Amino acid sequence: MLSIHNASKHFGTHAVLKNINLQMNTNSIIGLAGPSGGGKSTLLRSIQQLEVLDSGDITCPEKTGFMFQDFQLFPHMTVLSNLSYAPTVGNKAIDPMLHQKRSLDLLEILGIKEKADYFPHQLSGGQKQRVALARCLMMQPKLLLCDEPTSGLDISSIRDVIGLLNNIHAMGVSMIIASHDLNFLTELADRILLLKDGLILADIEPKKLINPIKNLQSYY
Ligand code: ADP
Ligand code: MG
């Protein structure tokens, strides 16, 4: 569903992605681990075409959705408007009202329908996370790119995120999840890549290892 061939990217003289190659199977969850500055966000942003590669190519025939680390909700819009507005961007012919039902259905699935008329500043971090996830799903992506989805969340909210992402995966959505939280990634991912200094140093299947976290930590 995703094919990356010799992807390279510099910022100035700093090589941030160095000849990255990756083949991703449909219906899988890939975790992107590795130290801060390793290139995780840049790789996700390149897949979403938010960054332009210097060389190499990324082929993804499916629709992708991106969940930003800081959520990037529209602060002046209610939860419901944040959702129903998303599919109308660049498509003025569509009436936002038409999306209200789907928005409310998604808020229900994510357990946050009662906050439909709240503004982002009135929500907790975990609640904003759910809204951001719901807003991504409005675009019906087949591949969801999540950048540090647990950052700033407490342990019980992290458990909720694992449950939510598993539910979304069961709906047929593949994912690439960047996170520094190895416990979180090993619970969710079929496969974990360790990205350090722009190189994939490890590519493991956590369920096949006795101690996947120790294995990954050895590369930091
Ligand atoms: P990670 O998500 O693994 O922490 P990033 O992809 O955010 O890593 O960053 C990789 C490297 O690229 C870091 O050294 C970071 O400072 C640098 N970098 C990221 N974005 C930019 C940018 N827009 N301009 C210059 N340097 C950047
Ligand atoms: Mg990052």
Side-chain angles (χ1 to χ4, degrees):
M1 84 159 345
L2 170 73
S3 175
I4 301 181
H5 181 66
N6 284 342
S8 294
K9 172 80 185 169
H10 290 73
F11 287 115
T13 57
H14 181 186
V16 178
L17 299 177
K18 302 171 183 165
N19 274 306
I20 299 288
N21 287 286
L22 176 66
Q23 301 294 325
M24 181 181 187
N25 294 330
T26 304
N27 268 324
S28 58
I29 301 183
I30 290 183
L32 273 186
S36 179
K40 301 182 292 297
S41 296
T42 305
L43 183 57
L44 286 184
R45 291 172 58 81
S46 300
I47 296 168
Q48 186 67 6
Q49 299 181 341
L50 297 170
E51 301 285 353
V52 179
L53 294 175
D54 298 336
S55 58
D57 46 62
I58 296 179
T59 318
C60 184
E62 304 287 2
K63 192 190 274 185
T64 57
F66 197 102
M67 197 162 71
F68 293 94
Q69 184 167 357
D70 57 359
F71 312 131
Q72 303 208 0
L73 297 174
F74 303 117
H76 60 294
M77 289 187 188
T78 64
V79 164
L80 186 59
S81 306
N82 262 281
L83 263 66
S84 40
Y85 176 72
T88 68
V89 174
N91 195 347
K92 295 221 163 52
I94 293 180
D95 176 356
M97 290 300 285
L98 294 176
H99 296 287
Q100 287 227 7
K101 180 168 174 356
R102 207 147 67 80
S103 304
L104 289 168
D105 289 348
L106 274 170
L107 290 174
E108 176 128 52
I109 289 170
L110 294 178
I112 193 166
K113 193 177 178 186
E114 76 281 4
K115 305 289 184 196
D117 296 325
Y118 282 50
F119 287 88
H121 76 269
Q122 298 170 309
L123 305 176
S124 71
Q127 291 165 341
K128 278 183 215 166
Q129 167 81 280
R130 285 162 190 257
V131 175
L133 206 46
R135 190 176 65 173
C136 269
L137 296 175
M138 284 299 288
M139 309 302 285
Q140 299 179 288
K142 294 302 276 178
L143 174 61
L144 184 62
L145 308 167
C146 302
D147 199 358
E148 300 283 356
T150 62
S151 69
L153 299 185
D154 59 24
I155 304 248
S156 92
S157 303
I158 292 175
R159 291 241 66 83
D160 292 345
V161 173
I162 292 173
L164 289 174
L165 292 179
N166 269 323
N167 290 348
I168 291 163
H169 181 55
M171 290 155 57
V173 179
S174 297
M175 300 176 192
I176 305 180
I177 304 169
S179 176
H180 62 275
D181 183 342
L182 298 180
N183 284 298
F184 169 70
L185 287 183
T186 45
E187 281 202 44
L188 263 175
D190 310 305
R191 183 177 168 197
I192 300 179
L193 309 179
L194 190 128
L195 200 57
K196 183 178 177 183
D197 296 332
L199 293 168
I200 295 176
L201 296 190
D203 184 348
I204 66 158
E205 292 178 66
K207 282 157 192 107
K208 292 192 177 166
L209 297 178
I210 293 166
N211 195 338
I213 293 182
K214 198 169 174 196
N215 178 292
L216 291 165
Q217 279 169 339
S218 69
Y219 294 94
Y220 273 72

